[in-house]
Amino acid sequence: MNLITLKNKNAEEVAAILDIKESNSLVEKFSTLGLPHKMTEEYHYFDVEKLLDVDYKTLNYVPKSIEEGDKIEIVDGVVTTAPKGLRVYSEVCENIDMEHFDGLYYLGHLLSPRVIKIEVDGDAHVEILHKYTQSDALINYRVEISNQANRHVTMYENFETEDIKNTLVLYGYDMHIAQDSTLRMVRLQTMSGNQYSMVSSHKITVAKNASVVLKNFDFGGDQALQVLKVELGEYAHVDAGHLLYLNDDSKRGTASQIIHRGEHSTSKQEAKNILDGQARGIFDALIRVEHTAKFTKAEQNANSILLHEKAYMASKPQLEIYIDELEASHGATTGQLDEKQLFYLQSRGISYIEARKILVIAFANTLIETVKDTRHQERIKDAFEKVFYASNKG
């Protein structure tokens, strides 16, 4: 399958290519937005057309009998294990956002009309492991997550691959955070060796008095973009943290919209980016405050360190405000490591590479330490060190 064949096609042509027989509002929505390209705002710094214009083999997504395990394991888009007592099943998605800004969000739902549903009862800690085993493949699937009112859930998301090459993964979440509840998502992804590229397109709805905490740790190389839309109800809150450490000629990052719809809603978004080699980091983030969201508090900040003269950071924090009764701030900085600090550490007998690592870790720690579980903190630090030393062999 070559997805570029969907470019500039009307609804009837899209339906024919995707073999959709009945009239479908998703087809209309996708054809209106179109396949993303270099002039699409959210994909301006990401070579999405190059990834789409490839002949990929397609997979057969037949739900399997789910075995009991200590985590939710999703292999090539199919659930294989799940913890006892957790409801995980495949079903047609009925809660699709018909006002999303991303065409690939709708294409993902068209390619995967049956989604993986995860319903979390009570307070819980859940680990989700995505495994990819197929080369030259298009792996497409979507996950819908919901929790209960007045409950608190923490999820840890990780990725593993076998020895694969040149695969494209299109996946994403539709999350529904219930009233008076909290969901924390800690996501760790290390990529290298052109094993796979990824576009993940998410939608998160946060109900009244609810809170969602999103911590993303993206390390290594290759091509990946996270496209994120968050909608906040009355007194709802989002705390989004993004840490990039990239090397080689990778292009990775986040394009997001956080939309305040309810009064007294609050948002905090922080990005820390460390770029080596010829890497390109992306932080294209909009916070929009609607007319209905009086007394909003919104904070957005992005800080970047370039470790190589050819590294490039596309940092674009934005505020779009339609009311006067609010508190809002945003900013961005880009620079290099402090030469005086490097010299000081080296004068104490610390090698140049170790001195760089100390300063980089100090820069990143404000985000890493927001992960409350020390075991997962160590997992993140270990993943960072592995990528750092691979980039600094000499």
Side-chain angles (χ1 to χ4, degrees):
M1 184 176 191
N2 190 314
L3 294 175
I4 208 70
T5 58
L6 297 167
K7 185 177 180 179
N8 299 325
K9 295 296 191 291
N10 61 33
E12 292 75 16
E13 293 169 325
V14 169
I17 293 170
L18 298 180
D19 195 27
I20 297 172
K21 305 300 184 184
E22 299 180 0
S23 177
N24 192 315
S25 59
L26 291 182
V27 174
E28 295 285 349
K29 190 68 179 181
F30 171 70
S31 63
T32 298
L33 288 173
L35 206 65
H37 50 80
K38 64 181 179 181
M39 298 308 293
T40 305
E41 173 67 26
E42 295 75 31
Y43 292 86
H44 184 66
Y45 302 103
F46 186 73
D47 299 329
V48 67
E49 284 185 296
K50 185 177 179 181
L51 298 179
L52 299 176
D53 192 10
V54 176
D55 292 323
Y56 296 106
K57 69 180 179 184
T58 55
L59 306 181
N60 188 13
Y61 299 95
V62 178
K64 298 180 179 179
S65 177
I66 300 175
E67 298 181 1
E68 184 178 333
D70 59 353
K71 63 176 70 70
I72 298 172
E73 190 170 295
I74 304 172
V75 180
D76 299 327
V78 177
V79 179
T80 58
T81 68
K84 184 178 181 180
L86 196 65
R87 290 201 298 274
V88 182
Y89 56 98
S90 175
E91 191 173 272
V92 173
C93 184
E94 298 178 351
N95 294 300
I96 299 173
D97 176 17
M98 295 309 295
E99 297 182 354
H100 207 290
F101 59 89
D102 180 25
L104 288 188
Y105 172 84
Y106 297 104
L107 179 59
H109 276 288
L110 288 169
L111 293 171
S112 306
R114 295 183 69 86
V115 302
I116 299 166
K117 287 203 170 186
I118 302 173
E119 296 180 356
V120 185
D121 296 335
D123 299 338
H125 285 72
V126 180
E127 185 168 347
I128 301 174
L129 175 62
H130 305 262
K131 295 181 71 173
Y132 306 125
T133 70
Q134 299 292 317
S135 293
D136 305 304
L138 172 64
I139 300 176
N140 52 271
Y141 60 103
R142 293 201 60 82
V143 182
E144 184 176 351
I145 294 176
S146 59
N147 65 345
Q148 292 181 318
N150 200 30
R151 296 295 185 179
H152 309 287
V153 177
T154 300
M155 292 187 162
Y156 298 98
E157 184 181 25
N158 298 281
F159 300 80
E160 289 182 4
T161 61
E162 293 186 0
D163 185 17
I164 64 173
K165 292 287 185 182
N166 305 319
T167 281
L168 174 62
V169 178
L170 300 180
Y171 95 112
Y173 289 106
D174 288 274
M175 294 188 189
H176 312 283
I177 317 303
Q179 182 172 328
D180 299 307
S181 70
T182 301
L183 188 145
R184 298 177 58 90
M185 174 69 84
V186 179
R187 179 181 182 273
L188 172 61
Q189 184 176 31
T190 299
M191 300 171 68
S192 64
N194 295 315
Q195 292 185 311
Y196 68 101
S197 301
M198 173 179 283
V199 180
S200 51
S201 189
H202 308 303
K203 165 61 188 300
I204 301 174
T205 303
V206 190
K208 182 178 180 180
N209 289 324
S211 175
V212 63
V213 179
L214 308 170
K215 302 296 178 180
N216 295 287
F217 300 93
D218 294 319
F219 302 147
D222 293 346
Q223 321 295 312
L225 186 68
Q226 176 180 232
V227 183
L228 176 66
K229 181 183 177 186
V230 181
E231 290 190 355
L232 300 172
E234 187 179 1
Y235 288 98
H237 174 71
V238 60
D239 177 1
H242 316 274
L243 177 61
L244 280 179
Y245 178 82
L246 304 184
N247 55 22
D248 298 329
D249 60 350
S250 58
K251 294 181 179 66
R252 292 172 67 181
T254 298
S256 68
Q257 290 188 11
I258 296 174
I259 302 170
H260 291 258
R261 297 201 185 279
E263 291 187 357
H264 299 280
S265 54
T266 57
S267 63
K268 178 182 179 182
Q269 187 175 29
E270 181 179 15
K272 294 211 166 188
N273 312 290
I274 307 146
L275 307 181
D276 210 343
Q278 300 181 58
R280 174 185 292 179
I282 302 165
F283 180 68
D284 188 345
L286 170 70
I287 294 178
R288 187 166 77 234
V289 183
E290 300 284 12
H291 296 89
T292 53
K294 291 181 179 179
F295 317 115
T296 280
K297 292 184 180 180
E299 178 185 350
Q300 185 185 62
N301 195 42
N303 298 295
S304 306
I305 291 177
L306 306 182
L307 301 180
H308 193 282
E309 61 182 9
K310 293 186 177 180
Y312 176 76
M313 184 66 210
S315 187
K316 193 178 177 184
Q318 307 158 76
L319 293 175
E320 185 177 318
I321 298 171
Y322 293 98
I323 58 172
D324 296 324
E325 304 92 336
L326 83 163
E327 296 178 25
S329 65
H330 71 147
T333 63
T334 301
Q336 288 79 37
L337 290 176
D338 190 309
E339 292 294 335
K340 291 182 179 179
Q341 291 178 333
L342 281 171
F343 177 79
Y344 174 81
L345 291 172
Q346 288 177 274
S347 72
R348 294 298 184 267
I350 299 172
S351 71
Y352 176 72
I353 289 176
E354 285 297 318
R356 277 165 54 108
K357 191 196 85 167
I358 289 170
L359 294 181
V360 167
I361 276 285
F363 175 79
N365 259 348
T366 54
L367 280 179
I368 295 175
E369 290 175 357
T370 61
V371 178
K372 304 302 183 184
D373 188 316
T374 55
R375 181 172 64 94
H376 286 277
Q377 269 194 34
E378 290 304 314
R379 182 184 293 184
I380 293 165
K381 289 180 179 179
D382 289 346
F384 166 82
E385 289 196 7
K386 185 176 180 180
V387 175
F388 177 85
Y389 286 120
S391 301
N392 295 270
K393 292 177 182 177

